Amino acid sequence: MGKGRQILGSVAANGFLTAYGLLEGYTTPALPQLRRSGSGLAVSDEDASWIGSIFLLGIALGTPLQGLMLAFGRRRSLMLVSPVMCLGSLLMTFPTSVEMLLAGRFLNGLGMGSVLPMAHIFISETVAPELRGALVGSGMFCINVGLIAVYSMGFFLTWQQIGGVIATFYGLYPLVLWRLPETPNWLATHNRDEEAHRSLLFYSGDQGAEAELARIKQRSLAHNPDLPPLGEVRQRAFYMPLIISITVTICKATSGTPAIHLYSYDMFLAVGGNADPLLASVVSTALSSVGSVFAFVLMDRAGRRPLFILAMFTCGACWVTIALAAMFIRDPIATDWVAILGFSVALFVYNIGIGPVGMVIMGEMIPLRYRTVISPVQSMIMWISSFAIGKTFFQLRDGLHFYGLCFLYASTCLLFTLLGYLLVPETKGKTLSEIEELFEKRALPASRKASVEYGVLGNGETVGVNAAPRPPAYGTEATLPQATLPTHDSGGDGERVTQTA
């Protein structure tokens, strides 16, 4: 019963990420209709670039509100923001001008940005450790479900009706969460112990509930929410995670995948060929969504670093292939197949490597005492970079031709492949303490020393040059008396913290 409720809660929380896919992919079916005569709005390419990208700008500006929304609770914040998202979607459904449509898209982005990590946090705090990776990782799959759903709506709904469907989704979404309790972690840290105990009983059953509540309370006392001293910004443990997280963040945007989600119809049209661009968008996104299912399984087997580097390189190769098809292939059928496979593989490797690996790397690398500083910075940079990619698509397409734009995206992928090799460390199998110490070393991530320094045997014994036991990193987790520990495995050597893009 406990695991069933955990899965039910995860599906409900991930529904918000499905709605993210609906909103991000809205422009692919809507823009072609908005450009037609009789749409009611005179939409130019400049207007289209704003309609697509202003949603991402809203997310960037909504990111600083995440701390405020966290204070309301994970479940409650998702419920509170849903009416705002519904209002934004209604503005998209009944606009009397382009400006009104832009206002709706921006309002949706602002609301989404304020609560985007909440679904992952809700799942992380309500599911058992053995289910956490799969259920948190399913968020990427849910985004793809939203993309496929909104693309498919373009076959039989008008752009206004699509906006109405999204508005209805948000109007009903609070009912999905209504009967679910708040997470025990939030309740316990706000001294609502009785409700926290009931929440633990709901999600996990009676086994170990008392001990788990004691552990949560102890951890909340160990956490120091204060900002680190200003002098620490010169320490390697601060600036190296900052540099790497910003690098990973920018490469996620400049890989070109945000442009595919926003303007898939226009991209297939620009390549040439006879396939219906909307149908090609559905097929490529459906094929690529397989990657999101296996992403977290592969991360635990292949490692974060090699998967990330291989994904970036493959994404660059896909852009080169698409560019060459647009330049030289004259057979429409061959062009269609190359384009569909090229976009499918590019999105596949994003779903399997660039997106989820980037989230996990940033969550594991950033020391807890610096997270209040680094996390908002990297989130803002990621969404502003995505906004820049979306806003410049039509201008770069016209200025460089489509094949030139593809080569530009390919060059950024190859550049960040090199930077990933030089900068990004392997965090697989390492505790948060070991990762933090790794950043204090002078060895580059690409060196053999950095790769094997913290190898861990199956029995938990640490091997390498620093085999002596190390204390936990400041602010990670307090040591509890043996009698108060929960009877189930609560995450091994170190808790992994996952973050949204």
Side-chain angles (χ1 to χ4, degrees):
M1 178 64 73
K3 288 188 177 180
R5 289 175 175 174
Q6 292 171 19
I7 294 173
L8 177 64
S10 301
V11 171
N14 274 332
F16 209 85
L17 298 180
T18 302
Y20 170 83
L22 293 175
L23 285 168
E24 187 180 37
Y26 164 84
T27 47
T28 288
L31 287 180
Q33 298 183 26
L34 285 165
R35 291 195 185 101
R36 296 171 191 160
S37 59
S39 68
L41 299 175
V43 173
S44 63
D45 278 353
E46 177 66 18
D47 295 330
S49 69
W50 277 110
I51 293 171
S53 62
I54 200 169
F55 171 66
L56 303 177
L57 179 62
I59 294 178
L61 297 180
T63 298
L65 301 176
Q66 290 175 7
L68 177 64
M69 297 305 293
L70 281 168
F72 285 104
R74 290 69 162 119
R75 165 184 163 274
R76 190 185 301 171
S77 62
L78 291 173
M79 296 176 66
L80 286 175
V81 83
S82 292
V84 177
M85 308 291 287
C86 183
L87 175 60
S89 301
L90 289 174
L91 292 176
M92 292 163 48
T93 306
F94 305 107
T96 57
S97 63
V98 173
E99 290 74 18
M100 190 172 173
L101 177 57
L102 291 174
R105 290 279 289 169
F106 178 77
L107 188 60
N108 273 335
L110 198 66
M112 184 65 69
S114 68
V115 296
L116 196 51
M118 220 63 69
H120 286 85
I121 295 173
F122 181 93
I123 296 170
S124 297
E125 294 180 352
T126 57
V127 303
E130 61 269 19
L131 296 176
R132 188 180 302 136
L135 293 178
V136 171
S138 64
M140 186 69 71
F141 177 78
C142 291
I143 292 174
N144 284 308
V145 169
L147 289 169
I148 295 170
V150 77
Y151 293 165
S152 301
M153 291 178 199
F155 291 114
F156 53 89
L157 297 180
T158 67
W159 62 273
Q160 288 177 303
Q161 291 169 338
I162 293 173
V165 170
I166 299 174
T168 303
F169 183 96
Y170 280 115
L172 298 177
Y173 185 71
L175 299 178
V176 177
L177 299 176
W178 186 262
R179 298 299 298 272
L180 294 176
E182 183 55 77
T183 70
N185 297 61
W186 185 87
L187 292 168
T189 54
H190 287 75
N191 297 318
R192 295 163 64 171
D193 294 356
E194 188 174 335
E195 294 176 70
H197 186 260
R198 288 200 299 267
S199 178
L200 282 168
L201 292 176
F202 179 88
Y203 289 113
S204 304
D206 187 45
Q207 183 178 8
E210 292 288 349
E212 182 66 13
L213 179 59
R215 179 177 179 272
I216 293 172
K217 293 289 290 183
Q218 189 77 10
R219 282 177 53 81
S220 68
L221 295 174
H223 175 62
N224 186 348
D226 296 334
L227 296 178
L230 186 60
E232 290 194 24
V233 300
R234 294 182 303 223
Q235 295 185 10
R236 185 180 175 86
F238 175 86
Y239 67 76
M240 280 305 296
L242 178 62
I243 292 172
I244 294 171
S245 63
I246 290 175
T247 300
V248 173
T249 288
I250 295 176
C251 85
K252 288 174 66 178
T254 55
S255 64
T257 47
I260 301 177
H261 292 157
L262 292 171
Y263 310 119
S264 181
Y265 186 100
D266 293 272
M267 285 191 173
F268 278 108
L269 207 60
V271 174
N274 294 334
D276 182 343
L278 198 56
L279 179 60
S281 300
V282 173
V283 171
S284 62
T285 306
L287 290 174
S288 67
S289 63
V290 178
S292 59
V293 177
F294 298 104
F296 281 77
V297 176
L298 283 175
M299 268 192 288
D300 286 334
R301 295 195 175 186
R304 286 82 157 121
R305 182 171 177 267
L307 197 58
F308 178 79
I309 294 171
L310 180 61
M312 284 301 300
F313 179 82
T314 306
C315 190
C318 289
W319 284 116
V320 171
T321 303
I322 295 168
L324 293 176
M327 291 176 65
F328 299 116
I329 298 180
R330 295 293 175 260
D331 182 358
I333 297 178
T335 302
D336 290 334
W337 277 108
V338 171
I340 290 174
L341 290 176
F343 285 120
S344 297
V345 174
L347 291 172
F348 177 86
V349 296
Y350 181 86
N351 291 335
I352 210 168
I354 302 172
V357 174
M359 287 189 294
V360 172
I361 284 176
M362 288 183 287
E364 291 179 337
M365 284 191 318
I366 302 172
L368 188 59
R369 68 180 183 274
Y370 299 142
R371 195 160 290 154
T372 55
V373 177
I374 296 179
S375 293
V377 171
Q378 64 87 15
S379 294
M380 287 281 288
I381 291 175
M382 180 181 70
W383 291 113
I384 290 174
S385 301
S386 298
F387 163 73
I389 295 298
K391 181 65 184 71
T392 58
F393 170 77
F394 291 104
Q395 293 86 344
L396 291 174
R397 181 202 62 183
D398 296 339
L400 302 175
H401 301 292
F402 182 67
Y403 59 82
L405 178 58
C406 291
F407 282 128
L408 178 62
Y409 290 156
S411 64
T412 59
C413 288
L414 297 178
L415 171 62
F416 282 106
T417 299
L418 177 61
L419 290 176
Y421 177 79
L422 295 175
L423 292 177
V424 176
E426 178 58 73
T427 58
K428 171 189 171 184
K430 296 179 174 65
T431 67
L432 299 183
S433 301
E434 290 172 336
I435 294 169
E436 185 170 349
E437 287 193 15
L438 186 62
F439 283 119
E440 295 170 357
K441 306 294 179 182
R442 293 295 175 182
L444 289 175
S447 71
R448 177 171 177 79
K449 178 182 177 183
S451 301
V452 302
E453 184 143 6
Y454 294 121
V456 179
L457 300 176
N459 60 5
E461 179 186 353
T462 306
V463 298
V465 296
N466 287 333
R470 288 174 292 277
Y474 169 82
T476 53
E477 109 178 65
T479 302
L480 296 181
Q482 188 65 31
T484 64
L485 289 174
T487 57
H488 62 276
D489 181 7
S490 58
D493 288 333
E495 175 183 314
R496 291 181 176 83
V497 182
T498 303
Q499 186 173 329
T500 303

